[in-house]
Every structure is written in C-alpha cells, then in structure tokens.
Amino acid sequence: MLFSRRLMLGLAMAGTLASALTFPALAGEGPTEIDLYFPVPVDGKLARDMGTLIKEFNDGHPDIKATAVYTGSYDDTLIKTRASIKAGKPPAAVIMSANFLLDMQIENELTNLDALIKADGTTKEQFLGQFFPALQGNAVINRSVYGVPFHNSTPLLYINADKAKEAGLDANKPPQTWAELTDWAKKLTKRDGDKVTQWGIAIPCAYDYCGWMMETLTMSNGGRYYNEEFGGEVYYDTPSMLGALTWWNDLVSKFKVHPPGATPGPAVSTSFISGNAAMMMLSTGSLTYVRDNAKFNYKVAFIPRNVRNAVPIGGASLIIPAGVEADKQKAAWTLIKWMTSPEKSAWWSRATGYFAPNMAAYKTPDMVDFLNKNPDAKIAVEQLDVAKPWFATYKTVPVRKNLEDEVMLVLNGKKQPKDALVAAQKAADETLKPYNAETSLKLP
Amino acid sequence: MSLAEPAALSVAASAPPRLHLARRFIARFKASLPAYLLLLPSLVFLALFTYGAMGRVLIDALYQRATPKAPLRFVGLDNIRAVLADPAFTGAVINNLIYAVGTAIPSIGLALLFALALARTNAVTSALRAALFLPVLIPMVAASALFLFIFLPNVGLLDHYIGRLLPVLPNWLGDPDIALYAIMIITVWKNAGYYMLFFLAGLQAVPEDVMEAAHLDGAGPFMRLRYIILPELKPTFLFVIVIATLNAVTQVDHVFVLTQGGPSNSTNLVLFYIYQQAVEHFDVGKASAATLLTLAALMGLTALSFRTMADREGGA
C-alpha cells in the first residue's frame, strides 16, 4: 500500500507541475497592453514621477494600457532590453541612453521609425524640427529616425559663489576660458603647508562620466572625439585631445588645484556641497540636487573654452526595439508622441532637472514661470546652441573604456598624456576592428 | 556501496548470472521508482536551470561571430585562446590571486584570534560575538554602499579621521595602487566574523581532558595553542580556507558597487571580467570561455581540497 501511495503522490506532484507549465493564464481581450522600460540615472523621486506620468497617459487613452517597468541604470537598461529582445519578448518602448542607439542599430535591435512618422502624415524634417538641433545627431542614423529625444543634459561649470567672493572673485562674471578657469582654481585652492584643505576645481572621472568629461574638454579644445557620421572611428590620439588631457593633468599635478586620482560623480558633488571643492564640472542633471542641498550661494556657467565653446549632450531617447508586433508598435508610438509633447516634456523637465528636448516646451506658461523663478535652469538650455552629439560608436561602452582606463592612469600620475592616448587609440582601434572589417575595409 | 557489493557477488554465484542480475536490476528499479518520481520535479528544475545552463555555456564557448553581421560559426577552442591572450583576463586572474590570498589570510587569522578570545561563553563574550558577527548579516551590496561614504576622498569618514595624520589624503577607490586593497579591507571586515563561527565550533571539539592534562603537565598557553588547539583545528582550517577561496572568486558585489573594476582595471576580478565580456562587449563566446576556465579552476581546487581532507581523515 505504501508503495502505491508513494507512487500516486509522485505522479500527482509531477502532474500538477506539468499542468502549471503547459497552461499559462489565458490572455484577456481589451486594451493593447504595452511595457515601457525606464532607467533612473539620478535619484529615487524620478520613479514616482514616472508613475504619475503613465497613469495620466492611461486615463487619457482607454484603448492602451501602458506599464512602466523600472530597469536600473542606463547600462542596466541596455542589458535588460537586449536580454528581452533575445528572448523574443521585447518591451514596446524603452527610454534608452541616447548614445547607445547607434550600437543597437548596428546590432539590428531597433525599429526604424520613418514609417510611423510617415503614417502620421508628417515629414521627417517636420517631426525632427520640434527638437533642439543638437539632439538630432543621436536620434538619426543613416538619415532614418530611430529615437525620439526625451530628457537631455549638458555639462556645466558649478561655482561656489561665497568662496569666490572670499577669494576676491565675482561669480557673476564666471571664467570663460581655460586660462581664466586655471587662474580661478589657483585662487580658490587653500593650502595648509603641503596639504590642500580646499580644492579649486573637481572634475569627475569614473566609467561613463570620465568619457563624457573627456569629450567635453576635447570639444572645447576644438576637437571631435569621434566620427559623428560613422561608427568605426574615434579620434583619441589627436592634438585636441592631447591638449585636453594635458590640461586636466596639469590641474592635478602641476598646479595642484584638482584632487588627484579618479573621482566618481557623486563624490565630486558631495565634495562641492561640503565646501571641499570650490568649483566642479558636472551634468545639469545634478542641478536639482545642488539646488536642494547647497547651503551657500552657487552659480552655474558654460563650460569654459580653450579653442571654442562646445559641449556634448547627454541624456536619453525613447526607442521601439526590433521585433515588436504592429499593434503594440502603434500603441508605443502614441505613448512616445504623448510623452515628448511640449506640455509633458516641460512637466518632466521641471520634475527632474533635465532640460526638455521639445523646443515648444519652453513656450508653455508653466515653464516660463519656472525659469523666471529658477534662472540657473536656463544655462543648460542656452548652452544647447553650442552642443553637439554624444559619442556613439560600434560597441560604445568598451570603446569608451579603452580611453577611460588610460585617462585614469594619467590622473593618478602613472602615465604621460601622450603615451596614454597612443595606447587608448590602439586599444579602441582593436575593439572597432570587426566593424571596420565589415564596413570601411570591406572593399569590392 | 561498499557493503552492498560483496552481498551481490555471493548471490550471483548461485543462480544464472545474467538473468538474475537483470531481474535484480528491475526489482531494484521498481523499488526506487517512487523515489525517482519524487525527485523528478527537482531534477527537472536542476536540468532547466543548472545543468542546462552549464551545457549552454559549453556550447556557447565554441561559437563566435567574425564581424557584427556575420552568422555565428563554430570556432572550437579559439574563444579560450582569445581569453588566455587577453591582457585584461590575465590582469583579472592576477588581481584575483592577490585578492584571494590578501583576504583569506587576514580574515582567517582575525577569525581565529576572535574565536580564541571569545571561546568561553558569558554575557560579555556573547555581546562581542554578536558585534563581530554583525557585518555578516549586512548584505554585501548594502555594505559596499556604506563603504562608498567611508572611502569618499577628502570628505569621507576615513579621511576625516586619518586626514589629520597624513600629509596627502589617499584617493581610496580612485588610485589604482590602493583600490584593490580598499576592496580587500571590506572583504576581511565582512568575512572575519563568519569564519569566527567555524573556529568557535571547532574549539568546542577540542577535548577537555587533553587540555586539563596539558595544564597539569605545566604547558603554558602558547604551548597548548601550538601543540593541542591548532592541530585539533586542522579540519576547520581546511574547510575555512576552501570557503574563503571560493568567496574570493564568487563575491564581486562590492566591485560592482564601488569601482566597476576600475580605475584602469586595477580591481577587475575574474567574475567581473566575465560580466564585462557578456554584457558590455556583448561577446557571449568569450564570456562563456572565461566561465569554463573559471569553473575548471574552481573544480580543480575543490577536488584538491576534498582529497586533502580525505587524506587527513585517512591518516588520523
């Protein structure tokens, strides 16, 4: 008896398991259900704001039910999106770091949005015309639209106005050139013997931030960092980048006005807030954090130039991954257009500190009010006139790291700028080799 | 098993061997069928999520794309060769060796010291034991987030106090010469309390009468430690060393949170290298090859340690 009872038990368990595996819950009829993957690159409040936004969308669109799925950092969001594409169940829309689009397009992971734009009866030019021109470079690949700018940023120079005043400097006339900035940093550095008690300036260098800051300095030194038209080339071993890295290194080891070593973004902002660093270069995305936490007067200014005023953009675009079914694609497109409309764009900008990519957002009455109350939020928008696309290549992250690892060695006094850039160029060329073999070096 | 074999032999001699063996096999299978059925669900899940994944890694390690749009093709051992030739992988292996030795020895030493000091149970030692065990209860990710603030250059907790003593403040996580050691400090802090538990348990097993006899013979505390306690703790040592080595290869949460393998790959450990290959370089073939190499090394290590343990038990 014991035998058969055991057997029955085993069979019953196996049976339950099998039925659980083979009969998933039947999908109900109703609104088109879509998922939106969204990263939180700045702070926790953003997740709540996203919930508010999506609820408002669902209330206004009864035929679509969108769900916002939190997916971690920008890098994590790329990983999760790629995993779900591979598994055959891509989300209908993703807020994707703007410079990952090219890499994804090369890997056939994006839906070309041209057809959806055409179906609306608009032209590509009209559609893109809504957005600041600086943002279009990262959204358009081979003259096709692959992404819609959602929230964006540029790097800024933050100045502790109280410390500047103490040192006899006027923060209302911020430094405009590298020479002036070097001078300011020297005056703002306080020493106690050999020991520095207050740093003149801090620039972040951790993976991701370091590449962005190198691009910022290279661009304001007249350079380009990468080929905007083709994903197989970067310009690391160039005079413009050599000048940029040498100056950064000089701030550290020659003038000793910048803390040595590689310092991540949060450490730099903490240092600024605590008064340990009198100036810093950081994203406009940190502006809300600084506004809420600084117990002193601060000013934000353009990134100073050596050759020209130029900065890269940062931030994210909305994309539709490859392999999304037609009805979901249409629903996602409705969501994307709604989210990037002037009103929603402006609301999101005020909630997060990013600037709104849609130019009409700055004409909405709420936004005009907000900017009058917070004039520091205007600087990033004004700087957009000189902004350029964010570096994007085949395998963006490894190619960026090829440079960052070498820059970190320089900032730690382990390598000279020239040697570092030669090594970085060599490593990046190696990473880009397979793509070039298929494109620029594939000859008839 | 060793008990069953002679019995089977003696029966086999009395009857036609083949038929008997087959019948016996069927009977045995029938008897254990319910057991197999009961084990089936776990076997299904093991196959799906453990053996299946391992098999997949083995297959993936043999394939590679030449260019981004080219189809996957069979490349045999090329991926393994590529991994071995990658300076980042060799760097990660060296870092991991330094990390393993540099975390295992201090944390085991500290654990032994704590256990010896707190071997007797009373209110004070219980409180101290709890305090030393506390880091074990904090998840690695949370602990790393805490240390992010402690290690903040110039304004962090550590620099706030040490800063008064040193002329130049170290950038704990931003200097490639220091970062790996900073990571090691966290690991030692986190693991010492855990290993202490094993040594406390080991100390309970030291025979009381031997200790008393030594005491009567006039052996001092050092002599008792050297000739009685340490030899008695040998199995505990072996076990803890294996655990510590495995931890050094399998724990990378703090690398994720604190340094991402940087600066300049100075804190890149093998597991993080695999993650980078799979996720950042999107190179599944190379990631799988590196996984296979790591698995082989870990299996070798485990086999070696079990053999040492068996030898010890045989010799005792």
Side-chain angles (χ1 to χ4, degrees):
Chain A
M1 263 348 266
L2 188 67
F3 172 85
S4 64
R5 201 193 293 163
R6 267 200 205 156
L7 186 68
M8 290 313 287
L9 191 66
L11 282 175
M13 277 174 71
T16 320
L17 199 81
S19 61
L21 284 175
T22 43
F23 303 111
L26 289 167
E29 293 291 317
T32 313
E33 292 189 11
I34 55 170
D35 283 342
L36 167 74
Y37 280 12
F38 76 99
V40 174
V42 279
D43 65 83
K45 199 169 143 278
L46 209 134
R48 206 175 57 209
D49 295 332
M50 182 55 77
T52 315
L53 196 69
I54 293 301
K55 189 176 177 305
E56 200 188 328
F57 174 80
N58 284 335
D59 290 348
H61 298 80
D63 52 332
I64 301 174
K65 189 177 174 296
T67 312
V69 182
Y70 169 63
T71 44
S73 70
Y74 281 151
D75 286 9
D76 292 342
T77 301
L78 177 66
I79 296 164
K80 284 171 189 166
T81 307
R82 283 189 155 157
S84 56
I85 292 172
K86 225 177 169 188
K89 286 190 168 179
V94 183
I95 297 176
M96 182 65 68
S97 184
N99 66 332
F100 293 160
L101 266 59
L102 177 67
D103 195 10
M104 293 187 76
Q105 194 269 336
I106 290 173
E107 305 277 359
N108 296 321
E109 292 165 336
L110 288 182
T111 298
N112 186 326
L113 304 177
D114 287 356
L116 289 162
I117 294 171
K118 208 172 168 193
D120 285 343
T122 37
T123 63
K124 263 187 277 185
E125 289 70 29
Q126 276 175 325
F127 180 77
L128 287 169
Q130 310 171 69
F131 306 104
F132 286 103
L135 307 175
Q136 295 173 11
N138 283 118
V140 181
I141 301 163
N142 297 338
R143 292 190 290 158
S144 283
V145 181
Y146 283 93
V148 187
F150 176 61
H151 62 205
N152 293 90
S153 58
T154 57
L156 290 174
L157 178 68
Y158 291 74
I159 303 167
N160 185 326
D162 292 358
K163 302 256 183 201
K165 207 171 164 190
E166 234 173 75
L169 299 161
D170 184 4
N172 289 318
K173 289 182 197 135
Q176 297 193 349
T177 62
W178 287 7
E180 285 170 31
L181 185 66
T182 313
D183 188 47
W184 274 58
K186 282 182 191 165
K187 286 182 179 154
L188 285 167
T189 304
K190 282 188 192 163
R191 291 171 214 278
D192 176 13
D194 272 351
K195 198 158 145 187
V196 176
T197 52
Q198 179 184 308
W199 294 101
I201 185 165
I203 303 172
C205 180
Y207 292 124
D208 199 5
Y209 233 130
C210 204
W212 201 50
M213 292 323 296
M214 264 320 289
E215 189 178 16
T216 304
L217 297 177
T218 304
M219 279 184 170
S220 46
N221 201 23
R224 283 164 67 196
Y225 192 106
Y226 75 109
N227 186 342
E228 303 87 342
E229 309 295 330
F230 168 64
E233 275 175 6
V234 287
Y235 308 133
Y236 291 167
D237 186 14
T238 53
S240 55
M241 193 173 278
L242 179 63
L245 185 55
T246 308
W247 180 60
W248 194 354
N249 184 39
D250 284 351
L251 291 175
V252 175
S253 51
K254 194 166 151 198
F255 307 125
K256 298 192 166 50
V257 295
H258 179 298
T263 318
V268 168
S269 55
T270 312
S271 188
F272 181 74
I273 295 290
S274 71
N276 183 261
M279 293 188 286
M280 64 170 179
M281 283 188 191
L282 217 62
S283 162
T284 158
S286 299
L287 189 55
T288 314
Y289 173 76
V290 172
R291 189 183 296 142
D292 292 348
N293 290 288
K295 291 187 183 68
F296 48 81
N297 294 309
Y298 66 90
K299 283 272 176 247
V300 294
F302 273 31
I303 295 290
R305 64 178 181 273
N306 194 42
V307 171
R308 59 166 180 177
N309 277 113
V311 289
I313 64 142
S317 295
L318 279 154
I319 58 140
I320 301 179
V324 174
E325 300 119 353
D327 57 328
K328 292 198 172 184
Q329 235 180 51
K330 246 172 101 184
W333 184 238
T334 311
L335 174 68
I336 288 173
K337 279 189 296 184
W338 184 84
M339 283 172 77
T340 53
S341 65
E343 290 75 26
K344 297 305 144 209
S345 217
W347 182 85
W348 185 252
S349 166
R350 289 193 299 274
T352 60
Y354 284 96
F355 67 76
N358 196 318
M359 288 187 278
Y362 288 92
K363 298 202 174 69
T364 58
D366 286 348
M367 201 63 172
V368 173
D369 264 9
F370 176 79
L371 286 180
N372 283 335
K373 276 182 207 141
N374 300 288
D376 52 358
K378 268 188 227 164
I379 304 290
V381 184
E382 286 165 7
Q383 202 175 217
L384 268 179
D385 287 343
V386 297
K388 304 199 172 304
W390 190 1
F391 70 91
T393 59
Y394 167 69
K395 289 199 177 174
T396 306
V397 175
V399 169
R400 189 192 71 210
K401 270 196 177 171
N402 289 146
L403 176 69
E404 288 171 325
D405 279 334
E406 295 295 330
V407 171
M408 286 172 181
L409 287 175
V410 172
L411 296 180
N412 276 297
K414 303 227 167 284
K415 223 172 193 177
Q416 287 307 305
K418 177 67 186 170
D419 300 339
L421 292 179
V422 170
Q425 184 71 51
K426 199 173 155 230
D429 287 345
E430 195 60 36
T431 313
L432 292 166
K433 212 172 170 182
Y435 182 62
N436 280 311
E438 190 166 85
T439 52
S440 57
L441 293 175
K442 190 179 179 190
L443 307 171
Chain B
M1 270 298 123
S2 56
L3 280 178
E5 272 163 31
L9 268 178
S10 62
V11 179
S14 64
R18 278 186 70 98
L19 186 74
H20 189 83
L21 268 180
R23 201 187 298 150
R24 217 183 143 78
F25 180 76
I26 289 168
R28 247 194 220 174
F29 183 74
K30 258 190 190 160
S32 46
L33 185 65
Y36 284 122
L37 277 175
L38 283 169
L39 284 174
L40 190 68
S42 1
L43 200 68
V44 167
F45 282 107
L46 269 177
L48 276 176
F49 296 108
T50 306
Y51 306 134
M54 279 164 84
R56 188 60 201 259
V57 165
L58 192 69
I59 294 167
D60 283 346
L62 302 173
Y63 288 84
Q64 184 61 274
R65 293 185 299 178
T67 59
K69 292 217 159 68
L72 275 178
R73 67 193 168 85
F74 183 81
V75 294
L77 295 178
D78 276 7
N79 282 329
I80 293 198
R81 243 174 257 135
V83 167
L84 290 175
D86 187 349
F89 180 74
T90 11
V93 170
I94 292 170
N95 283 342
N96 223 148
L97 285 175
I98 299 174
Y99 175 79
V101 174
T103 55
I105 293 174
S107 54
I108 292 173
L110 277 176
L112 180 66
L113 211 67
F114 292 155
L116 287 171
L118 305 176
R120 259 170 252 237
T121 308
N122 59 42
V124 179
T125 55
S126 302
L128 282 173
R129 277 183 202 170
L132 288 172
F133 190 68
L134 190 70
V136 182
L137 300 175
I138 304 174
M140 195 54 150
V141 173
S144 308
L146 278 178
F147 271 89
L148 206 55
F149 292 103
I150 294 173
F151 282 138
L152 267 186
N154 300 311
V155 288
L157 203 61
L158 197 58
D159 277 2
H160 185 76
Y161 291 106
I162 281 188
R164 294 157 209 264
L165 308 170
L166 295 177
V168 179
L169 294 174
N171 186 344
W172 297 101
L173 298 170
D175 185 332
D177 287 340
I178 308 177
L180 186 62
Y181 297 94
I183 297 277
M184 277 154 60
I185 290 172
I186 303 172
T187 317
V188 172
W189 168 82
K190 180 110 175 56
N191 288 346
Y194 182 50
Y195 304 149
M196 175 188 74
L197 280 195
F198 296 111
F199 283 115
L200 280 173
L203 284 175
Q204 305 299 316
V206 175
E208 203 67 35
D209 45 349
V210 180
M211 287 292 277
E212 268 172 30
H215 212 106
L216 288 176
D217 289 345
F222 178 74
M223 298 265 282
R224 277 180 311 213
L225 179 70
R226 170 74 185 78
Y227 292 105
I228 301 172
I229 298 178
L230 288 185
E232 284 291 339
L233 284 179
K234 212 171 152 193
T236 317
F237 265 110
L238 277 168
F239 178 72
V240 172
I241 288 171
V242 172
I243 296 279
T245 320
L246 288 178
N247 273 345
V249 183
T250 54
Q251 283 185 349
V252 287
D253 314 27
H254 45 347
V255 175
F256 273 88
V257 176
L258 291 171
T259 64
Q260 302 275 305
S264 313
N265 276 329
S266 59
T267 57
N268 200 351
L269 302 180
V270 172
L271 196 54
F272 193 77
Y273 171 88
I274 294 172
Y275 163 84
Q276 277 184 326
Q277 291 305 323
V279 161
E280 283 175 359
H281 292 238
F282 215 38
D283 191 337
V284 177
K286 230 168 134 186
S288 305
T291 309
L292 277 188
L293 286 172
T294 316
L295 266 180
L298 282 178
M299 279 171 151
L301 190 81
T302 317
L304 194 77
S305 61
F306 277 133
R307 216 163 129 191
T308 332
M309 276 192 210
D311 279 356
R312 196 209 67 84
E313 260 152 35

